[in-house]
Amino acid sequence: MYSFDVHTVYSMCVSMYSAVWSREETTERNYYTRYHNMSEITAWMEQMKRENPDVVSSMVYGQTYERRDITLLKIGLSSTGRKKAIWMDCGIHAREWIAPAFCQYFVKEILRTYKTDTKVNEMMKNLDFYITPVLNVDGYIYSWHNESTRLWRKSRSPGTGGCTCYGTDLNRNFYANWGMVGVSTDCCNLFYCGTKALSESEARAVTDMLGKMREDVLAFLTIHSYGQQLLVPYGHPNISAPNHEELMEVGLGAAKAIKAVHGMDYTVGTSPDILYPFSGSSQDFARLIGIPLSFTFELRDKGEHGFELPEDQIQPTCEEAYAGAHHIITYAHDKVFYSYAATVTATLWTTLLAAWVSSAILL
C-alpha cells in the first residue's frame, strides 16, 4: 500500500504544471518579444537542450553569492577534432533586461538557421558557441522582485567592514587594471569594484572558464544596455589594445550591419573615447589574456527609455544586434579558417615548386 505526503503531491503537481506551462510559453510565436524571469529562462534552456540534443548541451561553471548555478549553453555540431569557440554572456548587470532577451534570440536564430544557412552551418561545424543568458543571476532575480528593485545593477553580495549596502559591480571586478579608474570603493555606489579583483564568485567563474578556453576563443561578446555603442578595449585611457585598428575596423563593420536592419546608429570606440573611462571589465580581461576580438554591445536605446526598454522594441533590437554579432563572428571564423586554408595551400604549392625545381636541376 502506498502513502503520499500532501506536500509532496502538491510539489509534484506544481512541477508538472510548470513544465507544461513553460513548454507552451516557449513555443508561442511571441515568446521572443517579451522579457522573461529567471525561472522562465531556465525552463527555456532545458527546452533548447531537449529539442536540439545533437547540438545543444549545458554546463554549470560557477555559483553566485546566493549559491545559484551559473549555467551556459554550448551550441555546435559534433566534431572529432578540437574546435574554436565564441563566448557570449548577457545579464552581467541585472537591470539590463534586453541583454538576456538578446541571448535567447541569438540562440533561437542560430538553431533556426544552421540547417539551411550554409555560412551558419559552416561556423557550427568549426565553432562551439558558449552562451550565458544570465550571468548575474542573483541580481537579475532581485530586479524582478518589485518595482522598487527593477533598476538594481549589481550582484547581491553583502558589504564588508560595516557597510550595510549590498552588491558589487561585476563589470568592475575583473583582473584588468582593477580599481584604477572609473570605479568606487564605496560599497553603496553603483560602480563599487569590490574589496579586491575577483572578490565576486561570478567574476571568478568567468575568469576560470575563459582561462581554460583562452587558446580556442576567437571572440568575446558581452551584452549590455543602453547607449547604442560597440565598445572595444581598453577602458583605461592610457592603454591601447595591440590590435586596436583591427577591433575598430571589425566594430565599424558590425555597426554598418546593425544600421542596415532598422536604420539604428551605433557608435564604435573605446569607452574613454565614446562613453567614460573605467577599469576591471570582463571585456578588458578577455583581451588581456589573449582573446583577439573582444567587444561590449550596448544595445538600445539612447536614453529615452534607458534600462526599461519597452517590450515592443525587443524584436527590432535583437534583429539588429544579431546582424552585428553575426558580422563579428563571421570575421573571426573566416580569419582563422580561410587564412589557415590559404597558408596550407601556399605551403603546399611552395613545396611542390621546390620539388619540381630540384628534379629539373637533376635532369
Side-chain angles (χ1 to χ4, degrees):
M1 184 174 179
Y2 298 97
S3 62
F4 295 94
D5 177 79
V6 65
H7 298 292
T8 302
V9 174
Y10 174 76
S11 297
M12 291 172 62
C13 291
V14 169
S15 297
M16 291 171 63
Y17 172 79
S18 296
V20 172
W21 180 85
S22 295
R23 181 166 180 78
E24 290 176 351
E25 186 77 0
T26 55
T27 53
E28 288 181 8
R29 199 167 82 177
N30 64 345
Y31 177 85
Y32 295 95
T33 64
R34 300 199 307 275
Y35 295 119
H36 296 282
N37 62 37
M38 195 64 225
S39 296
E40 292 168 352
I41 292 174
T42 300
W44 168 85
M45 293 174 75
E46 290 300 313
Q47 182 181 335
M48 293 302 101
K49 289 194 301 176
R50 186 170 60 250
E51 294 181 349
N52 306 275
D54 295 334
V55 293
V56 181
S57 60
S58 66
M59 179 188 307
V60 175
Y61 66 98
Q63 285 194 319
T64 66
Y65 174 80
E66 294 179 346
R67 310 302 294 172
R68 295 184 175 96
D69 288 342
I70 303 171
T71 307
L72 60 77
L73 291 178
K74 179 183 177 183
I75 303 174
L77 292 165
S78 60
S79 172
T80 55
R82 184 172 176 176
K83 297 176 71 177
K84 294 299 183 181
I86 302 295
W87 177 278
M88 179 184 293
D89 65 64
C90 296
I92 192 172
H93 288 147
R95 62 191 178 183
E96 298 167 8
W97 288 6
I98 187 61
F102 173 70
C103 262
Q104 291 187 281
Y105 181 89
F106 182 87
V107 169
K108 185 259 293 186
E109 281 300 294
I110 59 174
L111 292 177
R112 182 183 67 84
T113 58
Y114 82 91
K115 291 182 180 179
T116 56
D117 187 312
T118 55
K119 190 63 186 181
V120 176
N121 184 269
E122 179 188 13
M123 292 194 291
M124 287 275 280
K125 290 176 180 176
N126 294 326
L127 306 172
D128 284 327
F129 294 83
Y130 293 80
I131 302 173
T132 304
V134 181
L135 177 55
N136 181 9
V137 181
D138 294 346
Y140 188 70
I141 290 173
Y142 187 68
S143 74
W144 277 81
H145 183 62
N146 58 42
E147 289 185 7
S148 70
T149 64
R150 171 63 183 86
L151 295 180
W152 185 260
R153 170 185 173 93
K154 302 186 290 180
S155 69
R156 290 296 296 161
S157 58
T160 60
C163 181
T164 58
C165 295
Y166 281 77
T168 293
D169 184 344
L170 297 177
N171 207 37
R172 303 292 186 276
N173 193 238
F174 285 82
Y175 195 77
N177 306 309
W178 178 84
M180 294 182 68
V181 63
V183 301
S184 174
T185 56
D186 175 4
C187 84
C188 295
N189 192 282
L190 283 176
F191 305 113
Y192 175 56
C193 61
T195 56
K196 61 181 180 180
L198 304 181
S199 63
E200 305 306 295
S201 58
E202 296 88 346
R204 291 196 302 272
V206 174
T207 297
D208 292 345
M209 192 69 183
L210 287 178
K212 297 172 186 174
M213 301 167 54
R214 65 180 178 180
E215 292 183 0
D216 297 320
V217 180
L218 303 182
F220 174 93
L221 308 178
T222 182
I223 313 302
H224 294 243
S225 74
Y226 58 92
Q228 295 177 207
Q229 298 165 330
L230 289 174
L231 303 179
V232 303
Y234 286 104
H236 193 291
N238 298 328
I239 305 174
S240 295
N243 63 331
H244 175 76
E245 290 185 4
E246 178 188 33
L247 287 164
M248 288 297 297
E249 181 181 352
V250 176
L252 289 168
K256 183 178 180 180
I258 288 170
K259 185 170 184 175
V261 180
H262 293 296
M264 288 295 174
D265 289 310
Y266 274 58
T267 307
V268 183
T270 65
S271 60
D273 286 342
I274 66 173
L275 186 58
Y276 47 72
F278 66 94
S279 58
S281 71
S282 62
Q283 167 197 266
D284 285 3
F285 170 75
R287 187 62 196 87
L288 277 174
I289 64 171
I291 297 173
L293 300 172
S294 183
F295 292 89
T296 297
F297 278 60
E298 295 283 358
L299 303 181
R300 291 192 191 185
D301 52 14
K302 291 190 175 182
E304 180 182 358
H305 300 287
F307 301 113
E308 298 179 279
L309 192 70
E311 288 187 328
D312 62 8
Q313 291 196 41
I314 293 176
Q315 183 170 329
T317 300
C318 290
E319 288 170 348
E320 66 199 21
Y322 180 84
H326 187 280
H327 176 86
I328 294 170
I329 294 165
T330 300
Y331 173 88
H333 171 272
D334 291 356
K335 181 182 178 182
V336 169
F337 289 95
Y338 288 132
S339 295
Y340 174 76
T343 301
V344 170
T345 302
T347 302
L348 178 61
W349 277 109
T350 300
T351 303
L352 291 172
L353 180 61
W356 180 82
V357 170
S358 178
S359 61
I361 292 173
L362 291 175
L363 291 172

